[in-house]
Amino acid sequence: MMKIAVCDDDENILGETLELLKQYEKLPLSVDAYSSGEALLASGKRYDILLLDIDMEGLNGIETARRIREADKEVKLIYVTNYSDYTIFAFGVHAFAYLLKPLRAEELFAQLDEAFAYGLAGPEPELEFVAKEGIVRVVPSRILCFEYLGRQVLLYTTEQVWHLKRQITELAREMEGYGFAMPHKSFVVNLYAVQRIHGYEITLTDGRTIPLSQKKSAGFRRALNEYLAGERGQAAWKS
């Protein structure tokens, strides 16, 4: 799945860009929207592609990109602007492309296609599970977590819940290679889905909270840190 952030302080253009991205069909997209460079930096998230407005109030797109580049050398920066003469200021942050407003679907999609062709994101493997409801085939990024409950394992995806007859420890071993870790004896969590850790509680991207046991805390935090370093271009972007 390609992870994209759109950053523009014009709410109308921001909305139009999001609508265009919904029409892209060649690869699943995970898209977040930000109305300022400050908000993008504060998110601490890593993306495959950034669609950045250059002329923004407060922190402009060039300075935003410079700060992001301090932590992430791989993200593809695509500038979206009204002013073609701004491009000279972006060379220092290795922009991937420039698009002029108003955005046209064919031009935007061509840049996404090119980014994909550069090996930015490949197709995810499809995993298969035998559930009470039938055979489940799902890519790892769609899985939020597994929970052992009532002598069965619940598989929570972004769409629904499935009931598996499996051992939770066995699943933990199998899923480790896909970026999953065990924060508690009854849970296996997708590190990609971790939004925050506060004390001994983990919040996932769907708002679900997962307990973090004291015994497993150090190991889980280490696994998350290693995942962030390897998959998200070092940790959070700081101003």
Side-chain angles (χ1 to χ4, degrees):
M1 178 177 290
M2 191 180 292
K3 293 168 283 185
I4 298 178
V6 182
C7 186
D8 198 306
D9 62 353
D10 186 319
E11 293 294 333
N12 291 328
I13 293 176
L14 191 62
E16 291 169 4
T17 304
L18 295 177
E19 287 301 315
L20 286 177
L21 290 171
K22 290 178 182 178
Q23 301 171 31
Y24 186 72
E25 298 179 345
K26 292 188 178 180
L27 189 75
L29 304 180
S30 172
V31 182
D32 291 332
Y34 300 92
S35 58
S36 71
E38 290 88 341
L40 173 58
L41 290 168
S43 75
K45 292 184 178 181
R46 185 265 183 185
Y47 294 96
D48 297 314
I49 293 177
L50 299 181
L51 291 169
L52 275 175
D53 180 26
I54 292 180
D55 190 16
M56 293 188 292
E57 292 289 332
L59 207 62
N60 65 31
I62 304 299
E63 184 57 27
T64 299
R66 290 189 194 282
R67 298 189 188 189
I68 287 170
R69 274 282 182 249
E70 292 175 4
D72 190 345
K73 307 300 183 185
E74 302 300 323
V75 60
K76 299 292 186 293
L77 296 167
I78 299 178
Y79 283 111
V80 184
T81 180
N82 288 313
Y83 310 103
S84 59
D85 58 339
Y86 268 59
T87 59
I88 190 171
F89 301 109
F91 293 152
V93 290
H94 308 291
F96 184 77
Y98 305 91
L99 293 173
L100 288 176
K101 297 179 181 179
L103 277 180
R104 297 171 56 187
E106 58 267 32
E107 294 173 351
L108 174 59
F109 295 172
Q111 293 302 330
L112 297 183
D113 290 345
E114 187 173 353
F116 178 67
Y118 269 78
L120 184 142
E124 286 189 84
E126 192 174 64
L127 306 180
E128 183 175 292
F129 301 94
V130 178
K132 183 175 68 176
E133 297 84 358
I135 300 296
V136 181
R137 295 182 178 88
V138 60
V139 295
S141 64
R142 298 287 188 186
I143 301 172
L144 297 169
C145 66
F146 300 86
E147 179 186 9
Y148 178 73
L149 184 67
R151 297 186 180 181
Q152 62 183 340
V153 172
L154 305 182
L155 162 58
Y156 296 94
T157 71
T158 52
E159 292 84 20
Q160 66 183 90
V161 181
W162 304 88
H163 299 78
L164 314 180
K165 294 294 289 184
R166 296 290 303 276
Q167 295 293 321
I168 192 73
T169 52
E170 180 183 70
L171 274 171
R173 288 192 296 270
E174 291 179 10
M175 298 303 296
E176 184 177 356
Y178 297 102
F180 288 68
M182 204 171 190
H184 183 279
K185 65 180 182 180
S186 298
F187 290 90
V188 176
V189 169
N190 188 348
L191 297 173
Y192 174 69
V194 174
Q195 186 173 72
R196 66 191 293 261
I197 298 179
H198 182 69
Y200 290 99
E201 185 175 82
I202 302 164
T203 301
L204 302 186
T205 51
D206 68 338
R208 184 189 314 275
T209 57
I210 303 294
L212 175 61
S213 73
Q214 188 172 1
K215 181 179 179 180
K216 293 184 177 293
S217 177
F220 183 82
R221 290 173 188 270
R222 182 169 57 251
L224 181 60
N225 286 336
E226 290 173 356
Y227 173 80
L228 292 173
E231 298 295 326
R232 298 187 179 182
Q234 307 306 313
W237 305 324
K238 301 296 184 182
S239 57

